[in-house]
Amino acid sequence: MLRYLPFLLVLAVWIYAFIDVLNTPEKEVRHLPKVVWVIIVLLFGEVLLGPVAWFVTGKKRHAPGSGRRGRGGWVAPDDNPEFLKSLKEKEEDPDENRRDKGNEG
């Protein structure tokens, strides 16, 4: 069984690189057109030259946590100004507290 492991690893890297090339937007592809990268990955995938070339030079990579969070990104509740504002409004509204206590009992 272990004699098939290198073949399976090469096949997995080849497939991953091929799917990564297909899913990458055209404006994030570097140095060559996307179609050329697909051909390189397919032709030289068996010897891992195509996938390694794609991973090293073909795609713009972003460092984790490099500020790529968009406007709709998740914010922790204690950092979210809207959430903190809603807490202050609940503390300042005494009528709401009476209504809550009256409904519980």
Side-chain angles (χ1 to χ4, degrees):
M1 182 68 184
L2 285 177
R3 64 182 173 191
Y4 298 117
L5 186 61
F7 173 74
L8 292 175
L9 288 176
V10 169
L11 183 65
V13 170
W14 192 7
I15 291 171
Y16 180 79
F18 179 68
I19 292 172
D20 193 36
V21 171
L22 292 178
N23 287 334
T24 301
E26 187 73 37
K27 56 186 167 181
E28 289 186 18
V29 176
R30 297 188 317 185
H31 303 297
L32 296 171
K34 188 174 177 178
V35 175
V36 175
W37 278 115
V38 169
I39 293 170
I40 289 173
V41 168
L42 286 178
L43 289 179
F44 300 107
E46 291 179 25
V47 290
L48 287 181
L49 291 178
V52 169
W54 167 250
F55 293 136
V56 172
T57 63
K59 182 179 180 181
K60 291 180 185 175
R61 303 282 178 195
H62 302 284
S66 64
R68 288 185 48 198
R69 188 176 77 197
R71 293 193 100 188
W74 183 84
V75 179
D78 57 344
D79 292 337
N80 189 340
E82 295 173 10
F83 178 75
L84 295 174
K85 183 179 175 185
S86 70
L87 289 178
K88 288 180 182 177
E89 289 174 356
K90 286 183 179 180
E91 289 176 359
E92 294 173 358
D93 190 10
D95 294 335
E96 185 176 320
N97 290 338
R98 278 190 239 136
R99 278 182 262 154
D100 288 341
K101 290 178 182 175
N103 290 339
E104 288 176 6

